[in-house]
Every structure is written in C-alpha cells, then in structure tokens.
Amino acid sequence: MQTAEIRRRWLDFFQERGHTVVPSASLVSEDPSLLFTVAGMVPFIPYLTGVVPAPYPRATSVQKCIRTLDIDEVGKTTRHGTFFQMNGNFSFGDYFKEGAIGYAWELLTTSEADGGLGFDEDRLWVTVYQDDQEAYDLWRKLGVSASRIQHRGKADNYWHTGQPGPGGPCSEIYFDRGPSYGVEGGPEADEDRYIEIWNLVFMQYLLTEVRGKTDFTIGGELPRRNIDTGMGLERVAFLKQGVDNLYEIDQVRPVLDRAAEISGRAYGADHEQDVRMRVVADHVRSALMLMSDGVVPGNEGRGYILRRLMRRTVRAMRLMGVDAPTFPELFAASRDAMKSAYPEVDTNWERLSRIAVGEEETFLRTLSGGTTILDVAVGKTKESGASQLPGDTAFLLHDTYGFPIDLTLEMAEENGLTVDRGAFDRLMAEQRGRAKADSKAKKKAIADLTVYSAFRAQGETAFTGYEYLQTETTVLGILRDGASVTSAKAGETVEIILAETSLYPESGGQEADAGSILGTGFELEVHDVQRPVKGLISHRVLVRSGEVGVGDAATTVVDPVWRKGATQAHSATHLIHAALRQVLGPDAHQAGSYNKAGYMRLDFNWNKALSPETRSEIENIANDAIQQDFQVVTRVVPLDEAKAMGAMALFGEKYGETVRMVDIGGPWSRELCAGTHVGSSAEVGLINLVGESSIGSTNRRIESLVGPDAFRDFATERAIVAQLTSDLKAPRDQITDRIADLMANLKAAEKRIAEFEMQALSARVPALLETAATIGSHRVVAESLGSVRSADELRSLALSVRERLGGDAVVALAGDVDGKPAVIVTTTPAARDAGVAAGPLAKTAAGVLGGGGGGKPDIAQGGGSNPAAIPAALDAIVAALRG
C-alpha cells in the first residue's frame, strides 16, 4: 500500500465520521517557542489548551513534521527520521476515550478491501497508563486479549508539554513484526520488534507544576476533555509495504537508490555504507520539504538546521567516495517521489533546485578551504612531535568553518594522527548547553498564553484600521507582567486588550502603528501592538496620565504621519517585488520583508549580486509604476480564487480559507497581504534604492528609502555633488573622471612614498648587521626599529637582514605600527636544523606584548597592545635562545 494511499484512507475514514479535514500547516511553526512543527498536534495547540475557541468539534489532518534532536541516530535505526508525516484525529470537548479507541481499532483492523488498513488483530499490542482502568476495559470490550495489553508508567504512557498546562494518560498501539526482529514480550520487552504506530492522548488534566517527565502535579480537570492522537505515516507505510525501515518506503527509497548508483555501491552490502545511504535519503527529503515551506540555508535558527541537513548529505556522499556535486540528481529523485503528495515541490522546482545547487557549491568550497586549514593543523601537530590533533582545532573546523568532524577524523587518520575526540565532545557539549540554555531562556521569556484565553473566548479583536484612524472601543482586559489586573496608573507599562482597534499589529513585515489610546481621565502612549494568539490584538502601552480600568470606554488614535509613511513603505515593497520579478524572472521570490515609515527592505531568493545596471533598472521600473498612478485595490476573496487570479502567496505563510488580496494596477502587482496600503501608487511618492547585499548563499536583500525620506537622501547627494563641483572646479558630468584622476595620482604618490621609506629602511641593514651578537651557535639580531608603517615593512627588512647574515642566524625585528607593537622573527635553515623555530619565539615575544603570535618555523609574527614592552619582548627572545 503506497504512502499516498494510506494518507487518503486516513482522511476519508475520519471525514466520513464527522471530522473536518484540516490541511497540513507549514513546517515553520507559528509557535514562537518552536523552530518547526514537531508534531501533528502543534497547529491545534490553541484549541486543545482552550486559548482559542475551536472552530470545529472534531478534526483530522496529515501534518508535515521535522524533528532534529536525534539527528545523529538517523539511518541507524528504523525509528529515527528528521522529516515525517503525522496522521492525527482530534476532539475538542466532543468524544473522548471510547470514541478514540473505537476509531483507532476500526481503522486498523478493517480489511483493505473495505477501506481500512487491514492489520492482523493478533499482531496488534496495546499499552495503557498504569492507573487507567477505563482505557484497559475499553480495549478488552473490543476483544483485545488481556495478554496483549500492557500497563506502563508515566515515562511511557503519560503525556504533557514539559511545562505547566494540559496533560493526561495515553494509550499506544504497537505492531509485532515477528521473532526475526527481536525478543517476545510485547513493547515492554522490545520496541524494535514491537513498533509503535499510533498514540492516543486523553487530554483531561491541568498540570500546575512540571519538574520532569515523570514528576508533575495535577491541579484538577480541564474545563473540557480533549483527544489528541498521532499515527506515524512512514511507520505504517514500511509495515504495509513489507520493508524493514522508513528509508525504504516509496517516498524515500528512490533517493537511496540514486545515492547508491552515484557512489557505485550496492545497498545491503555494507552496514556502514547503508547507514550513509539512509542518511542521504532522509536528509534530502527533509531539506526539500523545508525549502518548499520557505526555509533557506543560513547560519541561525531554521536556516542553520537546513544547512546542517544539506551538509551532512554532502559529507555522507563524500564518505562514500563521491567528491563531485550530487544535489541536482538527489533532489530531483526526491521531488519525483514526493510530488504526488505535495505538488508544490514540482511547481516550485526551479527555485528549490537553485537553492540546493547553490548551497552544495558553497559547501564544496568550504570543504576545500577547511582541508587547507586542516593540512596546516596536521603539519603543526607533526612538527611538535605529537600524534593527536587537538580537540579545539577539530572544534574550530567544525564550528567556524562547517567542516564535519567525520572528515576531520578521516583525514587525520590518513596522516597517521588521531583526534582528541574527548576534548572535541566536551566543547560540543558546552555549545549544546549554551544553545539549550538560550532556548530555555527564550521559552521563559514568552508569557503563558493561557492568560489570553479568557479574552479570546469573548471573540476576535475587530481591526478597523483599514478604514479608520480612530475607533471608539472598550477596555476588555489589562495585563501587568503576564497577570490580569483591573487597572493601571500613570507611569506603569501594561498590555491593553480592546474590543476593537484601529492600531495595526505588527505582521507581514510591517511594523506596528504608533499612536495613543485615550479615555475619560487617562492617556496611554502605544509602544507596540501584537497578536499574541490568533484573533486577539494586544497593545503594550505606557500610562502617560490618569488611571485606566477594565470596562472603560476608550478611543484608539493612530498617528496619521506614521501611518502614511507605513502605507507608502508597504506599497513600495510590493512595487519593488514586482519590478524585481520583471527584471530577474519569476524565480526571484520574496523570502522576507520589513517596512516602516520611510524605509523598506526586501529579502529574495537569488544567489548572485545585482549589477549597478540591474539595480537601476529595478528602481526605474518601480518609480515608473508610481508615475503611472496605478489604483491600489484590496479585496477579501476565497484563497483558491485569489490563487487562480495569479495572486502571489509567500512561502511559509499560513492562509485561511479567505484572504486579503492587494492589487496594484490590476495584475501588474497582485499579492496576498494583510498590511496597510496607499490608495494609488502615486501616493508612494518616490523610491530610492540605497542598498543591495548578500544575506546568505542563496538570499539577497534590497533596501530602499521611501517617500520624503527618499527625497531627503537625494537632496543630500545633490548637495554633496554641488560641493564637489565647486571644490574640483569641474562640471557635474566630469566629476567622476576628475576624482578617478585624483585617486590615480594619490595611489602613485603613495607608492613612491612607500618606495622611499623602504629604501630608507633598507639603508639600515648594514647598521643592523653590526648589532649581530653570538648566542651559542647562532648569530642573532634583535632590534627595535621604532615607528614603522606596517608589519610588511618589518617582514621585508628582517628577510633582508637574514639573507645577508646567512649561516646559523636568527633575526627578530620589532616596531610600533599605528600604536600597536609588532614583532617579526625569521630563521635560517641552519638555525632550524639546530632546533630553533620562529613560531615559538614570536609567541614568546607576543606574550610579553600582551597579545598572541605564531607562524611557520622559518618566519613568524607576533603582536600585542603595549608598544612600551617591545624591548622586554626582544629580551625574552634572546633569553629563550640562551636556553
């Protein structure tokens, strides 16, 4: 049974039983405490917790998920994959244990011919929470043998979020794969043989304290009991397809086979290589799905996870002997396997392919550079007589240069060295600890969203700001430090919840409105406006005067100057986006934006810098659209209708059944957008494209000033040009030529000055030779030159002195370079044969100078922060030579 067929049967089964089919949410989680959607229930958390009233009593979905906590286990077991699909059915105060258990058993055991999944009842095992007699009795009522029902404790059969909130016992369903996969005794004995396929969570309690997985306090029952279940689609697929693991199912195996073909290896012939092929198959699919939801490779957050998956893929192929690019073939194989379930991977293929190929090219260059750095480190280790590469070197290669530890281990072994893996692992553990602490701190910084549930239960906050700058409203709630209060006095900063508001909450890249909230006897200055939960708008305010209380009448007042600038900037973002696509083509797709009064920036998928001519063309097209005074029309239409009309949706954005569509000049620019906009393009005034830069290997950023700010910037440039015209006594059209001539003359003069100074320094060689002293078998020159232009001059002079001395000689010259001390140490071949290396001597001197240093045995450099210590640094070198 193909994966897509299992998915279809699941959705049909529950839809026929009154469940609303909810499309998969984006892999990019809306929950600010999560990078990704990690479980099927994540999109339903607001409904399960009661923060937001559920729009339906029961629902079902097949949710795309990403988990990377066990990334190092991928390929090694049948249970670990980074991307997976979770079938879920949910009840929000509707049916409970009996319904959930009955539906699960019916779908699993109904024959394939009758639309079920056709599992053999005798091979299904069940676990229940140790104190949940009700669930046990329900399973027995369905005919499940008592011998195939196991009671387990909190660690296995009690679900909670890890924080105070909803929780409850759960019941899990397992499939027995047979004696060839492990020992008898049910899930309690062997979870490789007995594979969990479905978890039924009976969410009925409110946990007031959670101290650990099994250590928590139940505060009482929830107002309503919910059902949250999850079935692993890939697990069911590999069981129904008769293969050994999720890497061999129809949606994954084609990538594995392509990796085997490219590497010239046979899957099943070698365990270690099999693991690498499975890593490739899993990671390529995960990366493809992440990119299809708008994630691009980067150095932080989601982008870093994606980059890590892609680089692990390159590493695995390299360890299988493939150094050439492979992503064009591997990602194409994954596209073909996934497009029937997710057509967007095919329709967006050009963009996805370009990102993947660009990232692989970048990493292959990184590997090349990392190899050079590793070669130097290997050379130093061998010179020191050691046999082990330091752990901090391996960590530096991994953390700073993205060089995988497996390759470091492999290349070190090729050079007869080991790696201090213990030190490397400690540094990695410290880094993970910092990351976890940071993540924990971020989670703690987020207010408990349940505080908003009472306000959200009263309905959505009505936003009137599209039509009005002022709105009369009522204060529904006041929050101080995350707790509900009845009033706030002058000087306090609080959150205000209103029934209606004209103040725009930050979203869609547009900064929140500035303004105020006024009422009888109070004035509130608005600092921020946000949507803490879906459908609710919260205003962070400073009480400027008086006292505001719950139930008070109030008026929201938007700063009209700010709003005008914000609408200009947001409409300008659409104009730039449309112009960008006209010039670069439809693959140049918006990846993010930010706009506020007078300024906008637009991030877009592209991997090459824009030429000055291209930038000018984009700017001209956008400003021409302003001149044409296009009408700006906003409409609320069904999502499918908007897409049929060609409206652009942003990758990673979640849209409802109806959307707000913004047309500028009809089809000239048509996007889905909830922001505020001008009435016609002429109101934007002017766009001044002031910057274009890279924000990653596959993303670029355009920045523009808008409206009056754009004009003021042009006026400043005009004043500068006028000043240059006057000072250079040249017409405006000749200024660039005059400046080019002046720069050429200046460079020529600087070159002549440098030559004169070098000649002056070279003239000091005879005097320096006369200072040579004999220390042991060495002739040594150790002198300070006072103030010098650069360390390069020191280096050149030291090499000249060394050449003239010849024999067994050491030269150490120091100088003051722009207030910072520098020292150069050089040695002759005879000195090196006698055991003297420049690197340690430079490091010794640098320690005295208050800095660091090192280098090769023949020449090395050191520096510091204390020029006054130069004589002492040279004395330290002499002392080291005396031994």
Side-chain angles (χ1 to χ4, degrees):
M1 188 182 293
Q2 298 293 288
T3 306
E5 174 62 15
I6 299 169
R7 180 179 186 272
R8 185 192 66 77
R9 290 185 181 221
W10 172 277
L11 294 176
D12 287 349
F13 177 88
F14 283 104
Q15 186 174 38
E16 291 168 1
R17 288 154 183 78
H19 292 66
T20 298
V21 176
V22 179
S24 175
S26 169
L27 286 168
V28 178
S29 175
E30 288 188 334
D31 186 335
S33 66
L34 298 172
L35 285 178
F36 300 115
T37 300
V38 296
M41 55 82 69
V42 169
F44 300 98
I45 287 175
Y47 311 143
L48 292 167
T49 58
V51 172
V52 177
Y56 23 66
R58 49 178 72 181
T60 185
S61 69
V62 177
Q63 176 61 49
K64 299 177 291 185
C65 303
I66 286 280
R67 290 182 190 169
T68 56
L69 288 176
D70 298 320
I71 193 170
D72 292 330
E73 297 302 312
V74 169
K76 299 176 184 177
T77 75
T78 59
R79 300 195 303 273
H80 294 95
T82 49
F83 172 84
F84 61 96
Q85 299 158 86
M86 185 65 74
N87 297 349
N89 61 289
F90 307 89
S91 167
F92 311 106
D94 191 7
Y95 62 83
F96 197 50
K97 291 183 184 179
E98 185 172 10
I101 290 172
Y103 286 145
W105 193 250
E106 182 183 0
L107 178 57
L108 286 173
T109 60
T110 297
S111 69
E112 293 183 12
D114 292 327
L117 296 178
F119 280 100
D120 181 352
E121 294 184 18
D122 294 334
R123 298 180 70 179
L124 294 176
W125 287 64
V126 172
T127 65
V128 296
Y129 180 53
Q130 58 192 10
D131 298 330
D132 193 353
Q133 185 64 35
E134 180 185 3
Y136 176 84
D137 292 341
L138 288 169
W139 284 115
R140 291 287 292 120
K141 184 179 177 180
L142 287 172
V144 180
S145 168
S147 63
R148 287 186 284 108
I149 304 176
Q150 295 184 328
H151 291 80
R152 305 185 80 175
K154 293 178 180 178
D156 297 293
N157 278 74
Y158 205 100
W159 181 92
H160 57 76
T161 64
Q163 301 180 47
C170 60
S171 181
E172 297 175 324
I173 306 170
Y174 291 77
F175 178 78
D176 179 7
R177 295 201 289 167
S180 61
Y181 290 93
V183 300
E184 293 185 6
E188 189 74 19
D190 190 338
E191 289 198 7
D192 282 325
R193 170 175 170 172
Y194 300 88
I195 291 288
E196 179 198 337
I197 55 176
W198 203 339
N199 185 16
L200 316 177
V201 177
F202 311 128
M203 197 179 295
Q204 65 188 106
Y205 297 111
L206 177 65
L207 309 187
T208 53
E209 292 184 64
V210 178
R211 295 167 291 275
K213 173 65 177 172
T214 61
D215 186 10
F216 50 82
T217 301
I218 298 176
E221 293 232 357
L222 291 169
R224 61 182 187 180
R225 301 182 302 178
N226 299 320
I227 288 294
D228 157 29
T229 89
M231 170 194 274
L233 179 55
E234 280 78 6
R235 290 193 183 184
V236 174
F238 83 69
L239 293 174
K240 297 303 295 180
Q241 292 174 21
V243 295
D244 283 342
N245 53 62
L246 60 88
Y247 313 102
E248 298 175 16
I249 65 173
D250 58 304
Q251 289 187 344
V252 185
R253 181 63 186 252
V255 184
L256 187 153
D257 289 340
R258 195 73 194 97
E261 185 178 347
I262 293 170
S263 64
R265 300 180 183 274
Y267 182 63
D270 178 89
H271 173 71
E272 189 173 5
Q273 300 301 340
D274 287 353
V275 169
R276 288 169 181 156
M277 289 183 221
R278 293 196 286 261
V279 167
V280 170
D282 172 86
H283 287 8
V284 165
R285 185 171 76 140
S286 299
L288 177 70
M289 299 309 296
L290 281 171
M291 291 189 296
S292 73
D293 274 354
V295 181
V296 294
N299 293 323
E300 295 180 351
R302 299 179 182 95
Y304 174 73
I305 297 296
L306 172 59
R307 173 162 285 167
R308 187 180 178 204
L309 290 170
M310 298 174 86
R311 292 187 169 188
R312 279 173 59 89
T313 301
V314 174
R315 179 200 69 186
M317 293 302 296
R318 183 183 175 103
L319 292 175
M320 288 192 288
V322 182
D323 295 330
T326 60
F327 279 10
E329 296 179 68
L330 294 175
F331 275 85
S334 188
R335 172 203 60 195
D336 293 342
M338 297 299 294
K339 65 184 181 182
S340 62
Y342 301 98
E344 59 269 26
V345 301
D346 193 31
T347 55
N348 299 321
W349 174 245
E350 288 190 23
R351 181 185 71 89
L352 302 178
S353 176
R354 188 180 66 250
I355 293 172
V357 170
E359 181 65 16
E360 183 177 34
E361 289 175 349
T362 299
F363 186 46
L364 289 174
R365 289 194 296 270
T366 296
L367 286 177
S368 177
T371 301
T372 301
I373 295 166
L374 181 59
D375 287 343
V376 172
V378 166
K380 287 184 178 180
T381 302
K382 286 185 173 181
E383 284 176 13
S384 69
S387 61
Q388 188 176 65
L389 196 71
D392 56 356
T393 300
F395 180 75
L396 175 71
L397 283 163
H398 168 84
D399 193 51
T400 303
Y401 299 99
F403 203 75
I405 181 61
D406 286 6
L407 285 181
T408 301
L409 292 168
E410 177 190 12
M411 295 177 68
E413 184 179 359
E414 289 172 357
N415 285 275
L417 299 176
T418 60
V419 177
D420 187 348
R421 188 62 188 265
F424 173 84
D425 290 341
R426 283 193 298 274
L427 291 168
M428 284 295 294
E430 290 172 10
Q431 184 192 60
R432 290 193 191 100
R434 289 191 295 270
K436 286 182 179 179
D438 181 55
S439 175
K440 191 174 182 180
K442 288 179 180 176
K443 287 184 179 180
K444 286 186 175 179
I446 299 167
D448 181 2
L449 296 182
T450 57
V451 74
Y452 298 106
S453 58
F455 307 119
R456 181 60 182 80
Q458 300 178 46
E460 297 190 15
T461 308
F463 177 66
T464 64
Y466 294 133
E467 295 84 19
Y468 308 106
L469 295 183
Q470 295 189 23
T471 292
E472 294 183 358
T473 185
T474 303
V475 177
L476 298 181
I478 303 173
L479 301 174
R480 183 194 301 119
D481 298 327
S484 183
V485 297
T486 58
S487 64
K489 298 179 180 179
E492 292 184 323
T493 297
V494 294
E495 283 184 73
I496 298 289
I497 310 295
L498 303 172
E500 303 89 13
T501 183
S502 56
L503 291 152
Y504 183 80
E506 180 184 359
S507 61
Q510 181 175 327
E511 197 170 86
D513 273 336
S516 58
I517 302 173
L518 308 176
T520 303
F522 64 85
E523 178 184 352
L524 315 179
E525 180 182 301
V526 176
H527 287 179
D528 194 14
V529 190
Q530 294 290 334
R531 282 193 176 95
V533 298
K534 185 179 180 180
L536 191 73
I537 297 176
S538 174
H539 310 73
R540 177 160 288 278
V541 303
L542 169 66
V543 183
R544 300 291 297 178
S545 62
E547 181 176 354
V548 59
V550 174
D552 285 352
T555 301
T556 59
V557 181
V558 179
D559 181 335
V561 176
W562 177 270
R563 171 63 75 82
K564 177 66 174 178
T567 59
Q568 288 176 313
H570 204 148
S571 295
T573 305
H574 286 222
L575 296 178
I576 287 287
H577 190 201
L580 191 72
R581 290 168 62 80
Q582 284 188 35
V583 174
L584 301 181
D587 287 343
H589 202 290
Q590 179 175 331
S593 67
Y594 172 72
N595 51 77
K596 63 178 182 178
Y599 170 83
M600 61 131 292
R601 72 169 183 243
L602 177 72
D603 300 339
F604 60 100
N605 301 139
W606 204 251
N607 57 3
K608 297 177 182 178
L610 305 186
S611 67
E613 294 77 17
T614 299
R615 290 173 51 180
S616 293
E617 186 179 0
I618 292 167
E619 184 181 65
N620 290 339
I621 290 173
N623 279 306
D624 183 61
I626 293 172
Q627 290 296 311
Q628 293 187 54
D629 195 16
F630 288 139
Q631 186 179 10
V632 179
V633 177
T634 60
R635 286 177 282 174
V636 176
V637 296
L639 177 60
D640 291 341
E641 181 181 332
K643 289 184 176 179
M645 295 173 68
M648 290 196 59
L650 301 185
F651 291 107
E653 287 290 321
K654 185 176 182 180
Y655 298 100
E657 293 181 4
T658 60
V659 292
R660 188 167 181 265
M661 184 171 67
V662 179
D663 284 352
I664 302 179
W668 193 88
S669 169
R670 179 171 285 164
E671 297 190 31
L672 304 184
C673 178
T676 61
H677 289 272
V678 296
S680 69
S681 62
E683 294 180 36
V684 173
L686 184 65
I687 291 176
N688 178 6
L689 203 161
V690 294
E692 190 272 334
S693 58
S694 169
I695 55 169
S697 60
T698 56
N699 272 353
R700 307 292 298 180
R701 171 172 290 171
I702 277 182
E703 296 179 89
S704 294
L705 297 175
V706 182
D709 291 73
F711 176 79
R712 282 190 285 270
D713 189 67
F714 278 131
T716 299
E717 290 186 359
R718 182 177 61 186
I720 293 171
V721 171
Q723 185 67 46
L724 288 172
T725 300
S726 174
D727 291 347
L728 298 176
K729 295 180 175 54
R732 193 163 81 170
D733 60 353
Q734 295 180 16
I735 287 178
T736 54
D737 291 337
R738 285 295 305 276
I739 291 175
D741 289 342
L742 288 172
M743 291 298 295
N745 292 336
L746 178 60
K747 287 182 179 179
E750 288 177 339
K751 183 177 180 180
R752 287 196 295 272
I753 291 170
E755 289 172 351
F756 289 142
E757 290 182 342
M758 199 63 229
Q759 289 173 7
L761 279 174
S762 298
R764 301 179 65 175
V765 170
L768 290 170
L769 292 170
E770 292 179 1
T771 69
T774 300
I775 299 176
S777 63
H778 318 302
R779 295 282 289 164
V780 179
V781 172
E783 290 291 317
S784 172
L785 302 184
S787 180
V788 295
R789 281 169 53 91
S790 68
D792 286 341
E793 290 186 352
L794 277 178
R795 179 186 297 266
S796 178
L797 190 57
L799 291 173
S800 296
V801 173
R802 183 184 70 178
E803 183 180 356
R804 294 280 295 277
L805 277 176
D808 182 344
V810 179
V811 178
L813 300 182
D816 183 332
V817 181
D818 294 329
K820 294 290 182 68
V823 61
I824 299 293
V825 181
T826 66
T827 59
T828 61
R832 294 194 292 277
D833 290 342
V836 177
L841 293 176
K843 189 172 183 179
T844 296
V848 177
L849 296 172
K856 297 179 179 179
D858 62 327
I859 185 165
Q861 179 176 333
S865 57
N866 184 13
I870 286 177
L874 293 171
D875 288 344
I877 290 175
V878 171
L881 290 170
R882 292 185 188 280

